[in-house]
Amino acid sequence: MKKYTQLFLVIVVLAALVFYNIQTVCAFAGRYIYPLDDAYIHLSMARNFAEAGTWGITQHEFSSTTSSPLFTFLLALLIKIFGNWEYIPLVANSIAGVALIVVFNKYLKPFSVITRFVFLVALVVLMPLHLMIMTGMEHVFHSLAMVLVLLAFRKYLEDKSPRHFSNLALFSIIATGFRYESLFFIFFICVYLFFVRKDYVISIVLGLFALLPVLVYGYISLDHGSFFLPNSLILKGNTNDGIAGFITRVAGNAYRGISVLILVLILITQIFRNFQTLKHSGSQSVRVSKNAVPFVVIAGFLVHLLFANFGWLIRYEAYLVVLVLFAIAPFADGVFREKAGNSVFRYLMIGLLLMTFYMRFITMIKYQPIASKNIFDQQIQLADFVHQYYPESRIIANDIGAITYYNNVQLLDTYGLGSIEVARLRKNDHGKFVDNKNLQTYIAKTAENRNFDIALVFDEWVKMPDYFVKAGTLSINNNYICGGTTVSFYVVKKENADKLRKQLSDFSKQIPKDVSIKIAY
């Protein structure tokens, strides 16, 4: 039983952290609230697909809103089997989290007891795994899939059997389906196989397999009049809006991803030492093979740094932490086994791990409940307001998850995630909120021609038409995660302004005490 003690203890720690966070949120909300509105976007799309057969943020039209098609499809399948329950992502993520620990433990099995313990704990607290579970997003599944990709890659390097290639191809497809960023790493696996192992055909075939989810989903999206890529990648991706803008965004990524950069320092040291150690004891091919996984991980990390995102509850880089831990485990095991003469490396590595622990775990223990509180105070209150007064109306909004999940509205999304025409008008704004006259004109005409009822928007995101009447605002305190502190309520037809003011006044009696509603006249 001793060999399972560490595994059991780590799973217990994970369960305790999840339970603690659920209790913390339930204390102010009465139920668990996800710390990101994006979780409700997944739920809304999954419910619509399961119940109405519509792949969209509402049941009324197709929308390529999700950035993780496979995760949304998985939720839809679970809703189809078990029914619509808002905590399906939480349960599914918990199961995936345990699976990630088990798989990682199997990978660490050849290493020393101290290495296995340190890295199992690091997996939980540096990711941090409990936070990724609590987001209700796809990041746990994506991390698990990417670990399986790297394991299959290692196996294929050891034995180029058809079975090992099949596993590598299958896990590559799954990983790409969960997050398109997986292609950064799979691309460099293909590069290694092509240029180092001279497996030309295998390299190309693997790349084509990995691209399948992108191609299939892209074809479906184009067939429904949308972009080839999901709207979120078009609107949020680190696109190049000039050299200065590109450099600024990369610098911002480096700043937000400093905790991963700390771990990458260990990875760089590992690669250097591998070459130095094997310089006289092994051939060039042996040295290159020893660095195969580290090469793939550091190259993929650099491409992510250049073109993807970091931040937003440290979720975008969570899988990078897992992959770097995977890559440096053999090096760490060697350091932990070495004698006192190399104690500098040992203490330096422990110091870097502790720095990452402080930046990712200690900080997020504070901010995760705040994020859930923000979503409860803003998005859940907006969803409750719509459910009470406009459950099947035509709504204009820009944070669309909870509003659409708890209601059956028709939507005009002024950000563009749920409305393709808006996305087309905003795609050249490079994720910034600018004075987009074409967008303002489109909103004005669409709201009038399609008889929209109300708008619930951040004024700083886009200016509403002059003929809209502002009836009031809802403001939250201590905002950390929401797109804005104050949401403005508008009516499209001015004769309905007093009605909306009365509704806001009545609704103000049932909102949390630290949320304020102000009536505008």
Side-chain angles (χ1 to χ4, degrees):
M1 290 297 293
K2 287 185 178 180
K3 64 180 181 179
Y4 296 109
T5 301
Q6 290 182 342
L7 179 62
F8 176 75
L9 288 176
V10 170
I11 293 175
V12 168
V13 169
L14 175 64
L17 289 169
V18 170
F19 179 77
Y20 168 78
N21 279 272
I22 290 175
Q23 291 301 109
T24 301
V25 175
C26 286
F28 61 75
R31 70 184 199 270
Y32 181 72
I33 303 296
Y34 295 109
L36 290 160
D37 189 57
D38 302 58
Y40 297 99
I41 289 178
H42 279 301
L43 277 167
S44 183
M45 292 193 68
R47 185 201 64 181
N48 292 331
F49 190 61
E51 296 180 352
T54 302
W55 187 266
I57 195 65
T58 72
Q59 294 184 6
H60 306 285
E61 60 181 338
F62 175 93
S63 64
S64 183
T65 309
T66 177
S67 59
S68 179
L70 185 55
F71 184 68
T72 303
F73 179 79
L74 174 63
L75 295 184
L77 183 63
L78 294 175
I79 289 174
K80 191 73 173 179
I81 296 171
F82 300 106
N84 180 30
W85 187 46
E86 63 187 285
Y87 299 121
I88 281 179
L90 187 61
V91 175
N93 276 347
S94 297
I95 295 171
V98 172
L100 178 59
I101 292 174
V102 171
V103 169
F104 218 80
N105 180 70
K106 186 176 180 180
Y107 164 64
L108 297 170
K109 192 175 181 180
F111 302 145
S112 65
V113 174
I114 182 65
T115 302
R116 193 157 60 249
F117 179 73
V118 168
F119 273 76
L120 283 177
V121 172
L123 176 67
V124 172
V125 301
L126 300 190
M127 190 179 181
L129 183 53
H130 77 280
L131 173 56
M132 295 306 113
I133 289 173
M134 307 304 288
T135 62
M137 301 288 286
E138 70 275 4
H139 305 291
V140 182
F141 281 92
H142 179 221
S143 299
L144 174 60
M146 281 304 303
V147 166
L148 292 172
V149 167
L150 292 184
L151 283 172
F153 178 49
R154 289 174 76 249
K155 285 287 187 182
Y156 181 76
L157 292 180
E158 296 168 2
D159 177 10
K160 296 197 296 185
S161 68
R163 180 171 65 88
H164 290 147
F165 174 75
S166 297
N167 290 338
L168 177 58
L170 175 62
F171 294 137
S172 296
I173 293 171
I174 293 172
T176 305
F178 279 120
R179 293 288 298 186
Y180 285 6
E181 291 94 328
S182 305
L183 290 172
F184 300 157
F185 298 85
I186 297 167
F187 170 76
F188 287 106
I189 289 176
C190 293
V191 167
Y192 183 89
L193 294 176
F194 191 94
F195 290 102
V196 179
R197 287 303 182 97
K198 311 299 183 184
D199 291 338
Y200 304 120
V201 175
I202 288 295
S203 172
I204 294 170
V205 171
L206 177 62
L208 292 175
F209 273 122
L211 282 170
L212 271 178
V214 179
L215 298 174
V216 171
Y217 188 70
Y219 172 79
I220 294 172
S221 296
L222 289 173
D223 190 52
H224 285 81
S226 191
F227 294 123
F228 178 78
L229 294 175
N231 293 354
S232 57
L233 297 187
I234 299 294
L235 298 171
K236 296 181 180 180
N238 195 1
T239 52
N240 189 349
D241 52 336
I243 297 298
F246 181 74
I247 293 174
T248 299
R249 295 194 68 173
V250 171
N253 271 348
Y255 174 76
R256 290 186 295 273
I258 189 68
S259 60
V260 188
L261 285 169
I262 290 172
L263 293 178
V264 169
L265 290 176
I266 303 176
L267 184 57
I268 294 172
T269 304
Q270 173 184 359
I271 294 173
F272 177 77
R273 286 204 70 190
N274 279 348
F275 272 102
Q276 290 299 311
T277 302
L278 296 170
K279 189 173 183 179
H280 303 293
S281 60
S283 65
Q284 178 70 13
S285 62
V286 171
R287 294 198 296 273
V288 173
S289 178
K290 190 80 172 179
N291 280 318
V293 170
F295 159 73
V296 167
V297 171
I298 197 167
F301 164 78
L302 290 174
V303 177
H304 184 112
L305 179 70
L306 293 175
F307 299 108
N309 287 314
F310 286 74
W312 282 99
L313 216 62
I314 64 172
R315 66 190 180 94
Y316 289 125
E317 66 269 24
Y319 84 107
L320 295 175
V321 173
V322 176
L323 298 190
V324 174
L325 288 174
F326 183 98
I328 66 175
F331 174 60
D333 187 55
V335 170
F336 290 148
R337 288 175 185 269
E338 286 174 355
K339 296 181 180 180
N342 293 289
S343 60
V344 173
F345 279 108
R346 190 178 305 118
Y347 293 130
L348 180 61
M349 181 177 295
I350 292 173
L352 293 175
L353 289 173
L354 289 175
M355 287 175 62
T356 308
F357 169 75
Y358 175 79
M359 298 176 72
R360 297 187 66 81
F361 183 83
I362 299 298
T363 303
M364 284 302 114
I365 282 289
K366 172 185 176 182
Y367 284 111
Q368 182 187 348
I370 294 175
S372 288
K373 173 66 172 167
N374 293 158
I375 297 299
F376 175 68
D377 287 348
Q378 188 178 94
Q379 304 310 319
I380 299 301
Q381 300 311 311
L382 294 177
D384 288 347
F385 177 84
V386 171
H387 188 74
Q388 190 166 334
Y389 300 108
Y390 300 91
E392 297 187 358
S393 300
R394 297 176 183 266
I395 304 294
I396 300 169
N398 46 32
D399 258 7
I400 58 176
I403 290 176
T404 56
Y405 176 62
Y406 292 108
N407 300 282
N408 185 26
V409 298
Q410 296 188 52
L411 178 74
L412 173 59
D413 174 15
T414 66
Y415 186 82
L417 291 180
S419 300
I420 185 58
E421 294 301 330
V422 174
R424 290 195 178 98
L425 292 169
R426 288 198 67 247
K427 70 175 182 177
N428 293 323
D429 292 344
H430 304 291
K432 300 174 183 177
F433 301 112
V434 298
D435 191 22
N436 190 324
K437 299 298 184 183
N438 291 331
L439 175 58
Q440 294 168 20
T441 300
Y442 175 77
I443 292 172
K445 290 182 178 179
T446 303
E448 184 175 24
N449 294 339
R450 293 177 56 189
N451 294 316
F452 274 81
D453 297 296
I454 61 171
L456 302 83
V457 295
F458 301 125
D459 285 333
E460 58 269 29
W461 283 24
V462 62
K463 184 180 182 297
M464 290 294 102
D466 292 335
Y467 70 87
F468 281 25
V469 178
K470 190 172 185 175
T473 60
L474 180 147
S475 300
I476 64 175
N477 294 319
N478 196 25
N479 183 29
Y480 168 70
I481 204 69
C482 292
T485 299
T486 299
V487 177
S488 296
F489 292 71
Y490 293 87
V491 289
V492 175
K493 298 178 180 179
K494 62 181 180 180
E495 59 265 28
N496 294 328
D498 287 338
K499 174 185 175 184
L500 180 56
R501 293 188 183 104
K502 176 66 165 55
Q503 291 166 344
L504 286 171
S505 179
D506 293 340
F507 189 71
S508 66
K509 300 171 185 177
Q510 61 191 64
I511 59 176
K513 62 181 180 180
D514 46 357
V515 178
S516 62
I517 287 181
K518 294 183 179 180
I519 309 301
Y521 292 96

